[in-house]
Amino acid sequence: MTLLVTGGAGFIGSNFVHHWLGQSDETLVNLDALTYAGNLGNLARWTRDARHVFVKGDIGDRALVDHLLHAHRPRAVIHFAAESHVDRSIHGPTDFIQTNVVGTFQLLEAARAHWMGLADSDRQGFRFLHVSTDEVYGSLSPTEAPFTETRAFEPNSPYSASKAASDHLVRAWHHTYGMPVLTTHCSNNYGPYHFPEKLIPLVIHNALAGKPLPIYGDGQQIRDWLYVQDHCSAIARVLQAGVTGQTYNIGGWNEKPNLEVVHTICHLLDQMRPRNDGRAYAEQITYVADRPGHDRRYAIDARKIERELAWRPAESFETGIRKTIAWYLDHQDWVSDVTSGAYRQWVDQHYG
Ligand code: NAD
Ligand code: DAU
C-alpha cells in the first residue's frame, strides 16, 4: 500500500510525513518541487527509511506524475503542494496560478487516468484528497458565525482565489467524472518547520534576533489557530473515513487577534529565553502598513468533522504555542539554515 503526497517537504506536508511514518508501515512517495518553501532538512529523519521515497519534481509535470502513479500505484493522492503565502501572492501572483490552478489541474488529470485504469476493487478505494484553506470563504465580520462547509466562496487575495479555483476543479472532477475526491478547508496552522515568513515563526525568529516584530495595521485581525499535528491527524481521519465528494472544515476553536498572539509569544519568550538586557520582548513590537485587501477575520465551524468523523483537535492554543516556541528554541540550527539560505545551497548541489 502506498500514498502519493505532494508538497511533503513544506511546512504541513513534512509534518504529515512525520505523522504518517510514525504510525504506519505504508510507503509514502513524496513529490515536491523544492521551491523556496520546500526543505529536505525537514525530512532528514527519514533519509534512510525505505518507506519514504522522495522525488524532486513539479505537480504540473504530467509525464513525471504519470510515471510515479504507474510505478508506485498509490491508493491515494494527498495534495498539499501549493504556493501558500498571501503576501507573496500580492507581490507576484503568477506562480500561484501556475501551481495552485494549472498544477492542480494537471495532477487531477493524471490521477483520473490512473484511477480509471485501476481494477474495480482498487478503483472504489482510491482517494484524491485536496488540502485547501478557510481563506476561500473570504472575511467574517466580528459578529458573524464561523465558516461552515456550505458558506459561499468569496476569496479576496490572489492566493485564496487560486485555491478557490483549484477547489472548484476538484469538485467538478467528482461531479463530472465521478472521481473519489475529498476536500479539506483548514484554518491557520502553526508548529515545527513553519517557514519564518508567516506570522508566528517570524515573530519568534525576529524576537530572538532583536529585530522589530511587524504588526500589520491595527493588529486586530483574527485568525483561528490550529496546531499542525492536529491538522495532520484530521487529514489522516478524512482519508480513512471521509465520504467522497464531501468537504470538511478543520479548525482549532482558537480565534485570536494577531496582537494577542504576538503578546503571548513575547510573554512566553520572556520566561523561556529572557532578553540579555532584562527588558520585555514586547518592546520590539512595531506597527507597519497594512496588507492590501487584508481579511479581517477567519473562524472555522469544525462541527461537521467532529460529528461525522469523531475528530477534534488535541491541542489548545496555550499548549500548542508553548510547544512551538520550545521547538524553535531547540532547533536554532534549522532556523539559521532557513534564514541564511543554506538549505537552498544543499538543493543546488544535489539537484543542480
Ligand atoms: P508551504 O509553502 O510550507 O509548502 C508548500 C510545499 O509545496 C513546498 O515544499 C514546495 O516546495 C511545494 N511546491 C510548491 N510548488 C510546487 C509544485 N509546482 N510542484 C511540487 N511541489 C511544489 O505550504 P504549507 O503551509 O505547508 O501548506 C500546504 C497546503 O496546505 C497548501 O495547499 C496550503 O494552501 C494549505 N493550507 C495551509 C495552511 C497554513 O496555515 N499553512 C492552512 C490551510 C491550508
Ligand atoms: O487561513 C489559512 C491560511 O493561513 C493559509 O491558507 C495560508 O497558506 C497561510 O499562509 C495563512 O495565511 P495568513 O495570511 O492568515 O497567514 P500569515 O502568517 O501570513 O499572517 C497571519 C496574520 O498575521 C495575518 O492577519 C497577517 C498578519 N501578519 C503577518 C505577518 C507575516 C502581521 O501582522 N505581520 C507579519 O509580519
Side-chain angles (χ1 to χ4, degrees), residues 48-62:
R48 288 191 186 78
D49 192 313
R51 291 174 303 157
H52 181 235
V53 179
F54 183 79
V55 180
K56 182 181 181 299
D58 197 308
I59 54 166
D61 181 343
R62 180 66 196 270

Side-chain angles (χ1 to χ4, degrees), residues 60-303:
D61 181 343
R62 180 66 196 270
L64 173 64
V65 178
D66 282 345
H67 164 72
L68 291 177
L69 291 167
H70 183 73
H72 296 281
R73 308 192 67 72
R75 70 173 177 100
V77 175
I78 306 185
H79 180 32
F80 293 99
E83 290 293 338
S84 70
H85 188 36
V86 174
D87 293 326
R88 284 181 192 255
S89 82
I90 294 167
H91 291 292
T94 309
D95 289 346
F96 289 73
I97 304 303
Q98 197 54 42
T99 286
N100 301 0
V101 186
V102 181
T104 299
F105 160 72
Q106 294 287 8
L107 186 69
L108 265 175
E109 276 295 78
R112 182 165 75 92
H114 168 69
W115 168 70
M116 284 170 57
L118 292 173
D120 282 353
S121 53
D122 292 340
R123 197 178 313 135
Q124 285 199 353
F126 185 79
R127 295 288 180 271
F128 184 99
L129 194 160
H130 176 59
V131 179
S132 187
T133 170
D134 59 0
E135 297 200 14
V136 298
Y137 298 124
S139 186
L140 289 164
S141 74
T143 52
E144 260 179 298
F147 302 129
T148 63
E149 287 81 357
T150 54
R151 168 117 183 169
F153 280 17
E154 287 180 345
N156 290 320
S157 71
Y159 162 69
S160 55
S162 69
K163 290 296 287 187
S166 67
D167 296 356
H168 287 317
L169 293 176
V170 171
R171 177 191 153 86
W173 262 236
H174 174 72
H175 193 79
T176 302
Y177 303 115
M179 277 254 306
V181 306
L182 298 154
T183 296
T184 57
H185 295 281
C186 190
S187 60
N188 284 60
N189 285 220
Y190 67 103
Y193 305 111
H194 205 181
F195 197 84
E197 64 184 353
K198 311 276 170 69
L199 180 69
I200 287 181
L202 180 100
V203 165
I204 298 171
H205 172 64
N206 280 15
L208 295 171
K211 293 182 182 167
L213 311 180
I215 304 286
Y216 296 168
D218 64 2
Q220 293 307 318
Q221 303 84 2
I222 291 174
R223 297 293 183 266
D224 174 0
W225 294 97
L226 179 72
Y227 192 63
V228 65
Q229 280 297 328
D230 277 332
H231 186 191
C232 295
S233 73
I235 286 174
R237 183 67 187 137
V238 171
L239 179 68
Q240 179 188 41
V243 176
T244 58
Q246 291 288 310
T247 63
Y248 296 92
N249 282 354
I250 305 171
W253 301 107
N254 277 312
E255 281 188 64
K256 307 265 179 219
N258 293 338
L259 198 56
E260 184 183 325
V261 168
V262 174
H263 273 290
T264 301
I265 295 170
C266 289
H267 183 63
L268 286 170
L269 280 174
D270 287 339
Q271 296 168 12
M272 295 163 81
R273 183 66 57 87
R275 269 172 49 157
N276 288 336
D277 61 6
R279 301 177 80 109
Y281 282 104
E283 290 183 13
Q284 291 166 231
I285 289 175
T286 309
Y287 289 86
V288 300
D290 208 351
R291 170 187 280 174
H294 199 169
D295 284 338
R296 199 71 187 159
R297 174 176 167 236
Y298 304 141
I300 279 278
D301 181 335
R303 283 178 297 177

